[in-house]
Each structure stands twice: as structure tokens, then as C-alpha cells.
């Protein structure tokens, strides 16, 4: 749509700048055909071109207005999204991890992922969440946001230990490691997703909305891939599973 409006604007400008052309054409034709110059016909041509030019100019302005409104709406949504984000460092971390914090924060939303916890070497590094967003109040149940956080922080390392136990069992079947664990509870789900095995990086994600389980699952897996790419670029190497 934006490309079309830009074209409309250029055409409108061209037409607007050539309103004298019909008079020149009419004058030239009258001279060649030895006819009288028709002012009425020239005015008619100018009116038609002027109308087309005004229409195209209106389309161009409407396109710009829609684009500005879309940008303003996106800015408002981003402010709303980040307004209720809670960030807490579980352990000190360096500048490299700031980028991971930003990536995780961008994935949080009231209609998908509500809590994310990042681990390296099996230890929790930080957590971000939108549990205090008013939209989630009906989903919190009897426990407040802080209670949820305390429980999820315990989950972080405990569920990874469970994954390692399962790894030992699956190794006997030559099935490879457990890359993703999903606990689909009655109200939402808890996920553990591997980011990078060698460095013990993984994510714990939570959604409180049962209708958003599949969406949150896809978001978390895509986030893990995005973090791997980010870390590989930051370190100048390729992190592989």
C-alpha cells in the first residue's frame, strides 16, 4: 500500500505540474489544422487532469496518514507491552547477556509468553515477566505475581535436573538428548527449551493461558533459535546443538 501511495504522489505531482499542457496541445492542433483555438476544450482538459491529480494527491495523503497512524499505534503497543515488564537478575551477568534480556523481553505478551527465565551452566541468570499486567489478573488465581515468580525460580533448576535424568534413560535407547520439556497443566503450561547444550544454556517459559499453549510453545522455540544466532554473532563463532 505504501509503494502505491508513493507512486500516486509522484503521478499527482507530475499531473499538477502539467496543467498548461492541454492549452499548448490545443493551440498546436488548432495551428496545424488551421482551426480556431478552443478555450472551452482546453479548460475541459485542464479540469479532467486537475481532478485526476487531486484524486491521486488525496490517495497519497491518505496513505501517509495511515502509515503515521500505524507507527503511532505500534509505538503505543510497545509502550503498553514494556510498561508492565518486570526484570530481575538472579546472578550478575555481563554486557553479552543484555542482548539476550532484550530478546526475551520482546517475546513477552499477555496473549502468549508471560514469564521467561534464562540459564547458563545450569544456573539461573535472569528472569523477565509480565505477570503484573492487569490483563493477567484473572489468570493468576489465588497466588500473586511474586508467588508465581518464587515457584518458577525453583522450577528452573529442578526441571533441568529432571531433563538430565531423562537424558540418561533415553541414552540407553539411543534417542539422543531431551531438547524440550512441556508440562501442560490445567491453566497454561511450563516449558524448558535448550538453547545450547555445551554451555548449559536453556530457557524456562511459562504461559498462564491454556488457549495460548501452542502459540507460546512456538514463540519459545523460535526465541531459542534467535538467542543462538545472537550469541554466535556476538562471539564470532557458530553455536551448535
Amino acid at each position: 500500500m505504501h509503494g502505491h501511495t508513493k507512486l500516486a504522489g509522484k503521478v499527482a505531482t507530475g499531473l499538477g505540474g502539467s496543467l498548461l499542457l492541454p492549452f499548448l496541445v490545443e493551440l498546436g492542433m488548432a495551428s496545424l489544422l488551421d482551426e480556431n483555438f478552443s478555450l472551452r476544450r482546453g479548460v475541459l482538459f485542464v479540469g479532467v487532469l486537475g481532478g485526476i491529480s487531486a484524486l491521486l494527491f488525496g490517495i497519497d495523503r491518505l496513505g501517509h496518514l495511515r502509515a503515521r497512524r500505524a507507527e503511532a499505534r505500534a509505538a503505543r503497543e510497545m509502550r503498553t507491552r514494556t510498561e508492565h515488564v518486570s526484570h530481575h537478575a538472579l546472578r550478575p551477568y555481563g554486557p553479552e547477556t543484555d542482548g539476550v534480556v532484550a530478546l526475551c523481553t520482546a517475546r513477552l505478551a499477555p496473549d502468549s509468553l508471560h514469564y521467561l527465565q534464562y540459564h547458563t551452566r545450569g544456573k539461573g541468570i535472569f528472569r523477565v515477566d509480565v505477570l503484573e499486567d492487569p490483563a493477567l489478573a484473572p489468570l493468576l488465581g489465588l497466588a500473586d505475581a511474586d508467588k508465581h515468580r518464587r515457584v518458577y525460580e525453583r522450577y528452573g533448576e529442578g526441571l533441568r535436573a529432571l531433563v538430565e535424568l531423562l537424558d540418561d534413560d533415553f541414552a540407553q535407547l539411543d534417542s539422543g538428548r531431551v531438547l524440550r520439556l512441556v508440562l501442560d497443566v490445567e491453566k497454561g503450561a511450563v516449558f524448558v527449551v535448550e538453547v545450547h547444550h555445551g554451555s548449559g544454556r536453556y530457557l524456562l517459559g511459562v504461559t498462564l493461558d491454556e488457549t495460548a499453549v501452542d502459540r507460546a510453545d512456538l514463540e519459545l522455540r523460535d526465541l531459542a533459535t534467535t538467542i543462538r544466532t545472537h550469541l554466535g554473532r556476538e562471539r564470532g563463532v557458530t553455536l551448535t546443538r
Side-chain angles (χ1 to χ4, degrees):
M1 176 66 183
H2 185 57
H4 289 252
T5 57
K6 287 180 66 176
L7 178 60
K10 291 179 179 178
V11 174
T13 301
L15 289 175
S18 60
L19 293 181
L20 291 177
L21 183 61
F23 287 106
L24 298 176
V25 171
E26 176 63 21
L27 183 62
M29 292 297 294
S31 176
L32 288 174
L33 299 176
D34 196 23
E35 296 179 350
N36 292 329
F37 173 75
S38 176
L39 179 62
R40 180 179 178 184
R41 193 161 50 196
V43 170
L44 179 62
F45 287 156
V46 169
V48 171
L49 286 177
I52 295 174
S53 176
L55 176 62
L56 292 176
F57 183 78
I59 293 174
D60 180 55
R61 292 298 90 194
L62 180 61
H64 283 293
L65 179 60
R66 286 178 175 175
R68 286 197 298 270
R69 286 179 175 176
E71 290 172 358
R73 184 167 57 251
R76 287 196 302 270
E77 290 174 353
M78 180 57 66
R79 287 196 297 270
T80 301
R81 174 176 287 193
T82 57
E83 181 180 356
H84 302 291
V85 171
S86 172
H87 165 261
H88 179 66
L90 304 175
R91 283 177 174 77
Y93 56 78
E96 174 192 82
T97 306
D98 289 334
V100 181
V101 173
L103 292 174
C104 290
T105 301
R107 297 297 178 125
L108 294 172
D111 62 348
S112 59
L113 285 167
H114 302 146
Y115 178 97
L116 285 167
Q117 192 179 131
Y118 180 68
H119 293 243
T120 65
R121 306 295 177 189
K123 301 295 183 182
I125 303 301
F126 69 83
R127 57 121 172 115
V128 289
D129 66 74
V130 287
L131 295 176
E132 293 181 9
D133 191 309
L136 299 184
L139 301 177
L140 290 177
L142 299 178
D144 62 13
D146 285 334
K147 175 67 173 178
H148 279 267
R149 291 171 182 136
R150 288 194 296 271
V151 172
Y152 298 150
E153 286 178 22
R154 292 201 304 270
Y155 277 1
E157 296 180 15
L159 289 178
R160 185 61 190 179
L162 174 59
V163 168
E164 291 174 354
L165 288 175
L166 294 173
D167 278 344
D168 292 339
D169 290 336
F170 283 115
Q172 301 176 38
L173 304 176
D174 195 26
S175 298
R177 301 189 316 279
V178 176
L179 302 179
R180 184 168 60 99
L181 180 68
V182 180
L183 300 179
D184 192 348
V185 296
E186 188 175 350
K187 297 180 180 179
V190 179
F191 311 90
V192 176
V193 177
E194 181 180 276
V195 174
H196 181 238
H197 178 68
S199 58
R201 287 181 167 88
Y202 62 92
L203 289 164
L204 180 139
V206 178
T207 182
L208 301 175
D209 187 352
E210 182 62 24
T211 66
V213 170
D214 291 340
R215 184 164 57 251
D217 188 14
L218 290 173
E219 282 282 342
L220 192 58
R221 280 187 281 169
D222 185 65
L223 174 60
T225 300
T226 302
I227 292 174
R228 274 196 299 274
T229 301
H230 168 77
L231 292 175
R233 186 167 56 245
E234 288 293 303
R235 290 165 168 260
V237 299
T238 300
L239 293 178
T240 60
R241 290 184 176 178

